[in-house]
Amino acid sequence: MSINWFPGHMAKARREVEENLKKVDVVIEILDARIPNSSHNPMMDEITKHKPRVVVLNKVDMADPKATDRWLSKFKSEGKYPVALDGRHNQIIKKIEPLAVKATAEDFNRMEEKGIRRRAIRAMIIGIPNVGKSTVINNIARKKGAKTGNTPGVTKQQQWIKAGQQMELLDTPGILWPKFEDEATGKKLALTGAIKDTVVPLDEVAIFGMQHLLEWDPERFNAFYNISASQDDDIVTVFDAIGKSRGMKSSGNEINYEAVTNRVIHDIRNGKIGRYTFDKVDAQ
Ligand code: G4P
């Protein structure tokens, strides 16, 4: 499985993000808390260079709380300033701003020592599509429903918005493309809705999700679909069981595999079955 990002587009997107980074003191990277590794573009580390980084594990309401704690510790140990939150909640700025203050303290102290008058901390949000960048920005700006786009690069016509007491935030995010290092990464991105459904075959995405749940949380998976499947079962029998239990049959009384596939992806993607983190800290 592969996805072809045009090298020209990638270079342009990168240049745009780099250009904007010059204007800010701190980068706020938004990741999906369910896939903190797969939703991170490694180029981010190169692009942001020595800028301090606040890492927002967004969509925490759908991630496994214990795994989130482990990811927070990992990011802290790397010298980043992480926080886990639900970007749709009010007051997220109260969680983000203190971290931006801490992350930039050294730089601002240095400026003050040189006699430079203190100014607002300038920040920029960066992330791959669908991790919640618009949600977070609109929430901070108290705007409703403005979608900031999904084309890698930086959306034009930027403005600074007041964010909390000491910070200004660029109202348009830097958008990076997702990385496709291996098949599992692609499936995780699809399962969480970070990439469009057409990029990875949907049946493979559903199978990946089912296998993950059968390994990590079989009781809840079985209870949710009212079936009794196990990790060792042939995956077709799991499809059959769900199809039967949910009455997903086509005209000839055959199981409608497409319907089961879509159902399972929808249920996992939207956190209907439970809270899951598909990237494990230890596996990095
Ligand atoms: P982006 O700018 O990074 O591309 O992402 P965006 O804010 O558009 O968010 C993508 C979807 O994720 C939106 O759903 C948004 O409501 C949802 N979302 C953002 N933050 C959170 C969160 O913390 N928890 C949960 N549960 N959902 C969150 P949507 O409007 O339904 O769009 P879509 O699902 O149709 O793409």
Side-chain angles (χ1 to χ4, degrees), residues 45-265:
D45 304 326
E46 259 176 69
I47 301 179
T48 55
K49 298 214 175 73
H50 305 300
K51 293 269 183 214
R53 199 176 326 161
V54 171
V55 174
V56 172
L57 293 176
N58 192 37
K59 308 198 183 187
V60 72
D61 53 297
M62 294 196 283
D64 169 14
K66 285 200 186 112
T68 299
D69 285 345
R70 286 196 282 273
W71 277 107
L72 289 171
S73 302
K74 178 180 160 60
F75 286 124
K76 260 187 217 151
S77 74
E78 291 172 349
K80 293 166 191 154
Y81 296 82
V83 60
L85 49 83
D86 177 338
R88 300 164 307 171
H89 275 188
N90 285 339
Q91 311 289 330
I92 52 169
I93 189 61
K94 290 204 170 140
K95 293 188 172 174
I96 296 174
E97 190 183 21
L99 289 176
V101 171
K102 262 196 217 162
T104 54
E106 218 177 281
D107 292 341
F108 274 86
N109 287 343
R110 215 174 298 129
M111 282 196 252
E112 263 171 28
E113 275 163 23
K114 286 187 195 156
I116 301 170
R117 216 156 56 104
R118 201 172 174 89
R119 55 164 174 76
I121 299 164
R122 292 189 190 128
M124 173 186 186
I125 282 183
I126 288 189
I128 66 166
N130 291 320
V131 289
K133 299 179 300 300
S134 320
T135 306
V136 168
I137 292 175
N138 291 341
N139 188 339
I140 291 173
R142 305 231 166 275
K143 279 192 289 184
K144 278 232 157 78
K147 178 80 185 155
T148 49
N150 262 337
T151 316
V154 178
T155 321
K156 298 291 175 318
Q157 289 199 341
Q158 301 161 325
Q159 280 180 9
W160 292 102
I161 49 178
K162 190 169 154 37
Q165 301 306 310
Q166 308 180 49
M167 199 162 80
E168 286 174 357
L169 180 69
L170 216 47
D171 70 347
T172 50
I175 306 171
L176 296 171
W177 48 93
K179 59 158 191 193
F180 283 80
E181 279 189 337
D182 50 42
E183 281 200 21
T185 302
K187 288 174 192 168
K188 289 174 195 171
L189 288 164
L191 195 58
T192 53
I195 54 174
K196 289 224 174 69
D197 290 347
T198 47
V199 179
V200 185
L202 280 189
D203 51 347
E204 289 183 25
V205 176
I207 291 169
F208 182 87
M210 285 176 182
Q211 284 171 335
H212 188 279
L213 266 62
L214 281 169
E215 181 180 351
W216 294 89
D217 198 8
E219 288 84 15
R220 193 191 284 260
F221 180 72
N222 280 324
F224 185 81
Y225 290 113
N226 198 17
I227 58 173
S228 53
S230 101
Q231 213 184 339
D232 305 323
D233 286 346
D234 182 89
I235 203 71
V236 178
T237 62
V238 184
F239 271 87
D240 285 342
I242 295 174
K244 232 182 256 165
S245 162
R246 289 289 162 104
M248 291 174 169
K249 299 195 177 162
S250 13
S251 46
N253 214 25
E254 302 265 310
I255 298 295
N256 183 341
Y257 291 111
E258 199 182 327
V260 176
T261 298
N262 290 331
R263 186 79 239 165
V264 168
I265 292 176

